[in-house]
Amino acid sequence: TNKDGTITRAEVTAGLEAQFKAADTNADGKLDALEFQKYNDARKAERKARIEAWRAKRQAEGGDTRERPPHDRQGRNFDPMKNMDWDRDGFISPDEFASRTRAQAMRADRDGDGNIQVADLQKKRERGGRHGPGAPATTEPAPQ
């Protein structure tokens, strides 16, 4: 948020709290099914807009627009409300809302200092994670 090139745990938490607060339209501290549906629909619309922008750029570059963008995951056939409502009380608490995203974000912190830096994200790409190119960026020959 402060544009210093490092994402801190506090920045991750603040971002998730802001998302939850925006989704909690009646400000009762939990998301009911309707609030969550509105939040999820908005996320889907944003995702669709990103995909369309990617396809338009790809078309302008002369690329194949039929393939899926690298950041697009296959659709899942499950109820996201049930998936996030871990205690099955019919509501999503702030902890339920943020826990997976917070865990994913902090897994990117490769050196364990509580901050995600560009180098942490590049290490994942170099190792060939699902978002990386697939080959390590080393010049060492492979063992024979």
Side-chain angles (χ1 to χ4, degrees), residues 15-25 28-31 39 92-95 97-98:
L16 291 168
E17 287 172 354
Q19 280 184 328
F20 185 85
K21 187 175 180 178
D24 185 16
T25 56
D28 65 353
K30 56 189 175 185
L31 301 182
Y39 166 77
I92 297 175
S93 69
D95 283 339
F97 181 83

Side-chain angles (χ1 to χ4, degrees), residues 36-52:
F36 184 74
Q37 184 65 47
K38 288 178 182 177
Y39 166 77
N40 207 34
D41 289 346
R43 286 186 48 200
K44 285 179 182 179
E46 289 172 12
R47 178 177 167 264
K48 184 177 180 179
R50 279 194 317 270
I51 291 170
E52 292 305 318

Side-chain angles (χ1 to χ4, degrees), residues 12-143:
V12 170
T13 298
L16 291 168
E17 287 172 354
Q19 280 184 328
F20 185 85
K21 187 175 180 178
D24 185 16
T25 56
N26 63 4
D28 65 353
K30 56 189 175 185
L31 301 182
D32 60 31
L34 182 60
E35 287 172 318
F36 184 74
Q37 184 65 47
K38 288 178 182 177
Y39 166 77
N40 207 34
D41 289 346
R43 286 186 48 200
K44 285 179 182 179
E46 289 172 12
R47 178 177 167 264
K48 184 177 180 179
R50 279 194 317 270
I51 291 170
E52 292 305 318
W54 178 85
R55 286 194 173 126
K57 180 181 176 187
R58 185 88 168 166
Q59 184 175 20
E61 294 170 347
D64 183 7
T65 60
R66 292 175 295 177
E67 68 182 57
R68 297 180 82 80
H71 59 274
D72 183 33
R73 290 190 254 172
Q74 295 289 335
R76 297 179 182 167
N77 191 17
F78 68 87
D79 181 353
M81 176 78 180
K82 287 182 181 177
N83 191 44
M84 291 183 78
D85 183 16
W86 294 354
D87 61 7
R88 303 290 189 241
D89 66 353
F91 299 97
I92 297 175
S93 69
D95 283 339
E96 290 169 330
F97 181 83
S99 61
R100 284 190 180 176
T101 303
R102 183 181 297 116
Q104 287 174 333
M106 296 322 297
R107 273 197 306 268
D109 175 21
R110 299 293 176 200
D111 57 12
D113 66 354
N115 299 312
I116 304 167
Q117 298 170 347
V118 173
D120 292 328
L121 300 175
Q122 288 172 335
K123 288 177 188 175
K124 180 171 184 159
R125 281 192 210 112
E126 290 170 0
R127 281 195 313 274
R130 72 178 179 169
H131 298 294
T138 63
T139 57
E140 298 175 21

